[in-house]
Amino acid sequence: MVSTGAAEGLSWWNRARPWLCMERCRAGEGWGAPGGSRRRRRRRRRREERGGGEAESPEDAGERQRRRLREACSELQSSEFWDSSLGTILKSLPKHPAAGKGVTRPSVEKALSAFEKLQLTPPAESVLEPSSQLQEEPSRSRAQDLQCVCYGIGNFSSCIQAQYQLAFLLLLLEELKIPEDLCYIFDPVFSTLEIKVLADLGLTVLLENEEGKRCIHNPTIFYMVHCGKALYNNLLWSNWSIEALSKTVIIGNSFKGIEDRMLSRIFQKDYSYIAKVLIATDEEALPSHPQYLDIFNDTSVHCFPLEKLRDLPPEIWKLQEEPVYPDEDQPEIIRNKK
């Protein structure tokens, strides 16, 4: 039998693991898979044998990162975890307002059709590419395309958790047939090398820290694994309308888990947009898998069905004050210093 104190300690550790993992990833430490230290030592020895530890060129470093991502994608794609996770995501998408009823295990095409039936307006804001030339926002002819926004991946060049999260994203884009340039990705900790690798993959790297305050016009999947509560709250505030939320899918930390781990008073006050939308949220957890426990634990798919949003009290949409967070929550979100 586990003592009460021990049980409480285990409970704290399980809650803290994703945050600690994220912090280590952001710091560039990384928690390697078993055998990772031995592999790193072998690589160091091989480099020393080849030429006394000569500095790696940017081209070689970029190719090495792309190779690691290909290997991670291949491993994930052949796993039971990927099949189960993809099934969970696809089952969640048709809960979208335009989806047909009575679908048990939809195909990718049916999932996409749930978004394509929406009447949308073209995006208004501009987006920057990490290069000497600026990338223009997609043309009006693509205004109904399903898009993706990714926040908070971390340093995938040094953190194996971040590497697998990025691999998962790349597989998801392929499965949902989302063009790479319609995936907008940002993390303030990205290195110059990482920005170049992402751009070479075709992703649109945002250069400005939006703090999660991105207004959507197209149906959009937000991929935000292990991000801070403030980022989710900011995102909801920026799209606080029935029309925008009904086009939104969030893959990230469980909203129910956030509520369970916080004092009700603080949750209602500091994270009011998560609190207010909970009753109108369909949440489906990604499957638990021991191999990827520290990478995707506490991750759920969140959708906001139109009929549930319409059932919320009308006055709930009138209050749209921008969120302000206490000083102790600053580590949860890196501020835009402009």
Side-chain angles (χ1 to χ4, degrees):
M1 180 179 295
V2 180
S3 67
T4 303
E8 290 177 354
L10 288 172
S11 176
W12 177 89
W13 171 245
N14 287 331
R15 293 197 303 272
R17 273 191 303 180
W19 182 85
L20 290 169
C21 172
M22 179 180 69
E23 290 303 306
R24 289 201 173 202
C25 288
R26 291 185 184 282
E29 297 177 16
W31 286 358
S37 298
R38 290 191 295 274
R39 286 195 295 271
R40 285 192 291 273
R41 286 196 293 271
R42 286 197 296 269
R43 284 197 296 268
R44 280 199 298 270
R45 283 198 297 270
R46 285 197 296 268
R47 284 198 299 269
E48 291 169 359
E49 290 168 1
R50 285 198 302 266
E54 292 181 1
E56 189 176 32
S57 71
E59 291 76 15
D60 289 343
E63 178 53 38
R64 176 165 52 84
Q65 294 306 321
R66 288 188 289 272
R67 184 179 68 253
R68 287 179 176 177
L69 284 171
R70 288 194 296 269
E71 292 170 354
C73 284
S74 178
E75 179 188 318
L76 263 175
Q77 196 168 29
S78 62
S79 70
E80 181 183 342
F81 171 76
W82 167 249
D83 288 338
S84 300
S85 297
L86 180 60
T88 298
I89 294 170
L90 294 182
K91 282 190 295 185
S92 297
L93 294 185
K95 296 176 184 178
H96 205 273
K101 297 181 179 179
V103 181
T104 54
R105 183 176 174 82
S107 65
V108 173
E109 289 75 16
K110 288 181 180 178
L112 289 175
S113 69
F115 289 93
E116 290 170 353
K117 294 177 182 178
L118 292 168
Q119 298 300 313
L120 305 170
T121 56
E125 71 271 32
S126 61
V127 179
L128 303 182
E129 278 278 17
S131 66
S132 59
Q133 296 181 343
L134 301 185
Q135 167 101 3
E136 294 183 359
E137 190 75 12
S139 65
R140 290 176 181 268
S141 64
R142 306 176 72 186
Q144 294 198 21
D145 287 347
L146 174 60
Q147 298 185 359
C148 182
V149 177
C150 173
Y151 293 131
I153 281 284
N155 294 119
F156 59 87
S157 62
S158 58
C159 175
I160 194 167
Q161 280 78 7
Q163 187 179 113
Y164 277 95
Q165 288 169 9
L166 178 55
F168 190 103
L169 172 65
L170 296 175
L171 290 176
L172 189 61
L173 296 177
E174 181 181 358
E175 289 289 344
L176 295 181
K177 298 185 170 49
I178 300 175
E180 286 83 0
D181 64 319
L182 290 185
C183 178
Y184 305 92
I185 187 167
F186 178 80
D187 195 309
V189 304
F190 282 155
S191 66
T192 302
L193 169 64
E194 288 167 335
I195 289 175
K196 185 177 188 311
V197 169
L198 293 169
D200 289 344
L201 290 170
L203 307 184
T204 300
V205 183
L206 301 171
L207 297 185
E208 182 178 353
N209 184 357
E210 302 172 332
E211 298 182 0
K213 301 171 184 177
R214 184 175 182 82
C215 301
I216 68 165
H217 302 274
N218 290 30
T220 303
I221 295 176
F222 285 89
Y223 184 76
M224 305 169 60
V225 180
H226 292 168
C227 286
K229 300 182 290 293
L231 212 59
Y232 301 112
N233 200 55
N234 285 354
L235 172 62
L236 293 172
W237 168 76
S238 298
N239 296 282
W240 195 246
S241 71
I242 293 176
E243 180 185 6
L245 288 179
S246 66
K247 301 172 186 174
T248 301
V249 173
I250 300 175
I251 301 175
N253 287 12
S254 165
F255 285 5
K256 293 176 183 176
I258 292 174
E259 180 188 33
D260 291 342
R261 291 189 292 267
M262 295 193 70
L263 292 174
S264 178
R265 173 180 54 82
I266 296 175
F267 182 57
Q268 297 287 339
K269 176 178 175 292
D270 295 337
Y271 305 96
S272 61
Y273 291 96
I274 302 176
K276 287 185 289 190
V277 84
L278 258 180
I279 195 172
T281 303
D282 280 359
E283 178 177 323
E284 189 79 23
L286 291 190
S288 177
H289 192 285
Q291 186 175 351
Y292 304 104
L293 188 59
D294 284 333
I295 306 174
F296 295 103
N297 65 313
D298 195 42
T299 301
S300 292
V301 185
H302 306 81
C303 303
F304 311 96
L306 187 60
E307 63 274 12
K308 288 191 175 184
L309 293 171
R310 285 174 173 167
D311 285 341
L312 292 176
E315 58 270 17
I316 207 171
W317 305 108
K318 297 177 181 177
L319 183 62
Q320 297 190 28
E321 294 181 0
E322 185 171 359
V324 178
Y325 304 103
D327 292 339
E328 59 266 24
D329 281 357
Q330 295 302 312
E332 281 212 340
I333 184 170
I334 298 177
R335 299 289 188 182
N336 187 335
K337 297 180 180 179
K338 285 189 176 181

